[in-house]
Amino acid sequence: MKAAKVDQDLCIGCGLCCGICDKVFRMNEQGTAEAYQPSTDENQDAVQEAIDSCPVSAIVWED
Ligand code: F3S
């Protein structure tokens, strides 16, 4: 199972990732996104799309 991580220093809170994959990403109280669940086989493509779509490249796969 892979997990994504949002760099809190880079995220500008645009919310795109949450819209693309709300099973993994949500906005936190600081107004930035966080990955609150690991990715599953079902949403791995959506997580990759979120990674590719983030305007500031704040999301990465964790090892
Ligand atoms: Fe932040 Fe990028 Fe998502 S800016 S809200 S991690 S699409």
Side-chain angles (χ1 to χ4, degrees):
M1 194 172 345
K2 295 172 79 176
K5 186 174 177 12
V6 177
D7 187 323
Q8 298 299 304
D9 293 329
L10 291 178
C11 176
I12 55 171
C14 78
L16 204 58
C17 54
C18 307
I20 293 171
C21 189
D22 65 1
K23 292 278 196 302
V24 171
F25 301 105
R26 68 183 174 198
M27 300 306 286
N28 62 30
E29 289 175 356
Q30 285 73 43
T32 54
E34 62 185 12
Y36 69 100
Q37 293 215 84
S39 174
T40 64
D41 288 347
E42 287 72 37
N43 62 33
Q44 192 165 313
D45 287 349
V47 172
Q48 185 62 54
E49 187 184 341
I51 289 173
D52 295 340
S53 301
C54 175
V56 293
S57 301
I59 314 168
V60 295
W61 288 113
E62 283 191 302
D63 295 329

